[in-house]
């Protein structure tokens, strides 16, 4: 017994070190937001958790108190074998859950509408439009205004809204950048949308969080929020690439590959994003999300 206790005491400092190390990983910390969407989501998590503590804390306290008060050795504890009902107890056991459901429901309703992923972020800065296509097992980002394409790297100006239109050229994926907030599915034949913003320059981890096959664990990308001049310089760097994303290059890229390196394309073929959607939706229209928002393939998202 003494040896076991000594072993556990020796592991205790190691546990604190590991916890501290985990807390320092900003890219994976939802509670360390770097943008308004992630910040509001963090507040929602904290508020709903606090509301649920209304029942969690009393239950823990009462469990410990009951165990102590009604222990076998306590001869002063009341003994009422004929007791069967109490209106006060019944009222409390029903009122508290009702209050919790009402509180959590209110916050869920308000934040569900305020955090609509399709809702544009108001800003004096110009919104950057990006198209994201999920593949096996990588992410392809198209910049329609700059006419460039990048694999597994998302670069955008800090302090400016980022609007990402998302689809899939394979099975269902889920697009997520924890540091910036928001998580939305990428589905073949459909378009979803995510609007984000980074307060200041920084590097963030993005990935697919929907299991999609053997290469799922390596389907990650780096999201870089940079200053405007740095973004312009990066665009020029990509434009100097000798590779262009034509039809044959896209066919090669779309084949399954694991841990795919960052790849730059100086241009891409017109209509690639809508063609990817139309491949799985031949009717010329596609649902933008599960509540059937509809957009025409020849509209503003054609590229």
């Amino acid at each position: 017994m003494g040896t076991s206790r000594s072993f556990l005491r020796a592991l205790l400092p190691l546990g604190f070190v590991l916890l501290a190390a985990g807390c320092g990983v900003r890219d994976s910390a939802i509670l360390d937001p770097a943008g308004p969407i992630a910040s509001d989501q963090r507040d929602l998590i904290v508020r709903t958790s606090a509301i649920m503590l209304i029942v969690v804390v009393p239950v823990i306290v009462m469990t410990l108190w009951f165990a102590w008060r009604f222990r076998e050795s306590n001869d002063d504890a009341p003994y009422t074998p004929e007791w069967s009902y109490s209106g006060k107890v019944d009222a409390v056991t029903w009122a508290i859950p009702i209050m919790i459901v009402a509180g959590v429901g209110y916050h869920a309703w308000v934040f569900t509408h305020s955090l609509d992923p399709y809702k544009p972020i108001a800003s004096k800065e110009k919104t950057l439009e990006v198209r994201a296509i999920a593949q096996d097992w990588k992410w392809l980002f198209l910049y329609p205004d700059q006419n460039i394409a990048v694999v597994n790297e998302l670069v955008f100006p800090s302090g400016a809204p980022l609007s990402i239109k998302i689809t899939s050229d394979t099975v269902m994926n889920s697009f997520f950048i924890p540091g910036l907030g928001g998580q939305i599915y990428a589905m073949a034949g459909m378009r979803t949308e995510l609007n984000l913003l980074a307060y200041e320059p920084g590097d963030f981890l993005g990935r697919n969080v929907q299991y999609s096959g053997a290469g799922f664990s390596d389907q990650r990308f780096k999201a870089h929020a940079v200053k405007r001049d740095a973004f312009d310089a990066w665009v020029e760097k990509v434009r100097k690439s000798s590779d262009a994303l034509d039809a044959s290059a896209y066919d090669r890229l779309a084949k399954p590959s694991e841990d795919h390196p960052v790849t730059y394309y100086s241009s891409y073929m017109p209509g690639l994003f809508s063609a990817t959607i139309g491949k799985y939706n031949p009717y010329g229209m596609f649902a933008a999300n599960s509540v059937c928002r509809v957009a025409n393939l020849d509209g503003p998202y054609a590229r």
Side-chain angles (χ1 to χ4, degrees), residues 79-101:
Y79 176 66
T80 55
E82 303 299 326
W83 182 88
S84 61
Y85 177 77
S86 170
K88 294 180 179 179
V89 173
D90 204 19
V92 170
T93 55
W94 278 101
I96 293 179
I98 290 174
M99 292 171 57
I100 292 174
V101 171

Side-chain angles (χ1 to χ4, degrees), residues 25-45:
V25 182
R26 178 174 181 174
D27 287 342
S28 61
I30 298 176
L31 299 182
D32 184 19
I37 304 302
S39 180
D40 286 348
Q41 290 178 339
R42 186 232 9 226
D43 292 345
L44 177 59
I45 293 173

Side-chain angles (χ1 to χ4, degrees), residues 141-181:
F141 298 105
L142 309 176
Y143 290 72
D145 292 337
Q146 293 74 24
N147 194 33
I148 59 175
V150 183
V151 177
N152 283 345
E153 184 177 65
L154 177 63
V155 180
F156 55 95
S158 60
L162 171 64
S163 180
I164 311 174
K165 275 66 176 181
I166 306 168
T167 191
S168 174
D169 196 9
T170 178
V171 297
M172 181 182 292
N173 282 230
S174 184
F175 185 93
F176 190 29
I177 305 177
L180 298 179

Side-chain angles (χ1 to χ4, degrees), residues 149-268:
V150 183
V151 177
N152 283 345
E153 184 177 65
L154 177 63
V155 180
F156 55 95
S158 60
L162 171 64
S163 180
I164 311 174
K165 275 66 176 181
I166 306 168
T167 191
S168 174
D169 196 9
T170 178
V171 297
M172 181 182 292
N173 282 230
S174 184
F175 185 93
F176 190 29
I177 305 177
L180 298 179
Q183 175 185 343
I184 197 163
Y185 288 104
M187 295 169 281
M190 302 179 70
R191 174 188 65 80
T192 51
E193 183 176 338
L194 196 60
N195 287 276
L196 304 172
L197 185 146
Y199 288 131
E200 55 189 26
D203 299 328
F204 308 94
L205 176 66
R207 65 170 304 162
N208 168 31
V209 291
Q210 171 75 26
Y211 180 73
S212 59
F216 159 77
S217 59
D218 292 321
Q219 193 175 347
R220 300 184 293 265
F221 65 90
K222 286 290 184 66
H224 303 287
V226 299
K227 294 182 178 180
R228 176 66 66 171
D229 55 350
F231 173 74
D232 294 337
W234 175 81
V235 171
E236 291 303 317
K237 175 183 176 181
V238 177
R239 284 174 174 167
K240 293 179 181 178
S241 171
S242 58
D243 297 326
L245 192 59
D246 54 20
S248 59
Y250 183 82
D251 289 340
R252 292 192 298 270
L253 180 65
K255 294 179 180 179
S257 61
E258 299 184 27
D259 199 18
H260 198 284
V262 174
T263 308
Y264 295 155
Y265 296 95
S266 57
S267 64
Y268 65 91

